[in-house]
Amino acid sequence: MPVSTHSDFNGATGPTQVTPSLLRDWPLPAPGEDKYSRGAVLIIGGARTTPGATVLAGIAALRAGAGKITLAVAESVAVQVGVALPECGAVGLPETADGSVTGEGLDVISRYLERADAVLVGPGLDDPDLAGELLTRLLEREELRGEDPAIVLDAFALGGLVKLKGMLEPWRGRLILTPNPTEAGVLLGRDVNHLETDVAVVAEQYGAVVSCQGVIARPPGEGSGDPELWKITTGYGGLGTSGSGDVLAGAITGLRARGTSGAQAACWGTHLHAAAADRLASKLGPLGFLARELADELPALMLELNT
């Protein structure tokens, strides 16, 4: 695991740059013998009007090398999701009349929570209040109150954290957040003024590894000897496309399920996401590539960096 002299969040020495050389010195776990050795992922999200977000996250998790994927989505679209991504299991969750996923009926995913190495919550949730209720119910689940699985939160699931800040002790040390700058501002309760400093503050306040627009922070005490702040040095403006964040969250979740630390999953996943944009920009142009195409670039990039 790479070591840095950077030890503070005030920007005095700057973040550690995430480079191919750094990642090669921080190799991913070996592939293992079968899908069970590469980790199981559960993704919770997918309202009736936005099921594609969970599909994108699921594809990215698989492309990042995770062994098994289950998508828990609004009941009215579960069958369609299972057909769209035949490599996954698809489970229907209770929904409102408008198709928003609620926090009710989570017993239906109990066995998937028990078996998961990483759980991603957020892609495709479309109601912030209901997302908060869902998070509250998940915090109460016995399956999520041990040392495993890792918990990754994205999109509307992030907003639900604000009211739960004082209740997150069961998840501290295994929580990963993937906000954009606007969502980071919601977590802080104010606008983001200095990205590197503020991402580090979010990490400390929530006891979570945070990846936000190419800046990654880990909270004090997570790991030993690691840098506390990293920055991605690549990536095109074309990343600002619909579904790109779902791919990033899925890639990080897939890597975490394979047995990486939260910081390693975030650094590798964020770099791979940006490097995939570089590769697509060289082939297709800097704008116009699709989020699903980002995921397709991940295996080759991992091979190049992990050998």
Side-chain angles (χ1 to χ4, degrees):
M1 194 172 293
V3 177
S4 168
T5 57
H6 180 92
S7 60
D8 60 19
F9 284 158
N10 61 20
T13 59
T16 297
Q17 304 296 302
V18 177
T19 63
S21 177
L22 180 144
L23 295 176
R24 289 189 180 101
D25 289 337
W26 202 3
L28 295 174
E33 297 181 355
D34 54 35
K35 62 185 178 183
Y36 301 102
S37 62
R38 295 200 303 275
V41 169
L42 172 64
I43 300 175
I44 303 172
R48 184 188 304 159
T49 58
T50 49
T54 53
V55 174
L56 286 171
I59 290 171
L62 288 170
R63 291 295 195 190
K68 294 193 69 177
I69 303 289
T70 302
L71 307 184
V73 298
E75 190 171 23
S76 60
V77 293
V79 171
Q80 296 94 317
V81 163
V83 172
L85 185 58
E87 296 87 353
C88 79
V91 182
L93 294 173
E95 61 187 275
T96 66
D98 294 327
S100 298
V101 173
T102 72
E104 304 291 332
L106 294 183
D107 284 348
V108 70
I109 60 171
S110 178
R111 66 189 179 104
Y112 301 103
L113 291 171
E114 289 176 349
R115 298 173 183 174
D117 295 288
V119 176
L120 169 59
V121 186
L125 295 179
D126 65 351
D127 186 298
D129 293 329
L130 289 175
E133 292 178 17
L134 172 62
L135 274 189
T136 300
R137 298 294 181 90
L138 287 170
L139 265 169
E140 296 169 351
R141 300 293 302 189
E142 285 297 321
E143 303 94 333
L144 298 182
R145 297 188 75 84
E147 296 182 358
D148 295 309
I151 311 292
V152 185
L153 303 182
D154 184 49
F156 275 149
L158 293 164
L161 271 188
V162 177
K163 294 181 180 178
L164 300 175
K165 189 186 294 187
M167 303 166 58
L168 293 176
E169 191 59 36
W171 289 358
R172 286 183 181 271
R174 56 192 173 110
L175 190 60
I176 303 174
L177 311 180
T178 59
N180 60 35
T182 299
E183 292 162 341
V186 171
L187 291 170
L188 289 168
R190 59 171 173 78
D191 290 341
V192 170
N193 299 314
H194 184 275
L195 187 64
E196 293 170 12
T197 301
D198 288 342
V199 169
V201 172
V202 173
E204 186 167 8
Q205 287 187 358
Y206 290 88
V209 170
V210 181
S211 174
C212 178
Q213 200 167 304
V215 175
I216 300 103
R218 70 168 181 87
E222 201 239 31
S224 176
D226 293 357
E228 294 178 327
L229 194 64
W230 296 261
K231 187 172 184 178
I232 303 302
T233 59
T234 187
Y236 270 84
L239 282 172
T241 187
S242 180
S244 176
D246 302 311
V247 171
L248 173 62
I252 291 173
T253 305
L255 292 169
R256 183 67 176 86
R258 290 178 56 186
T260 64
S261 68
Q264 185 184 16
C267 285
W268 265 90
T270 309
H271 176 87
L272 289 170
H273 182 246
D278 285 346
R279 187 154 295 185
L280 289 171
S282 69
K283 293 190 291 187
L284 303 175
L287 295 175
F289 51 80
L290 305 178
R292 74 186 75 163
E293 295 170 322
L294 291 167
D296 291 343
E297 299 292 332
L298 301 183
L301 287 166
M302 285 191 297
L303 178 64
E304 293 170 13
L305 289 169
N306 214 37
T307 54

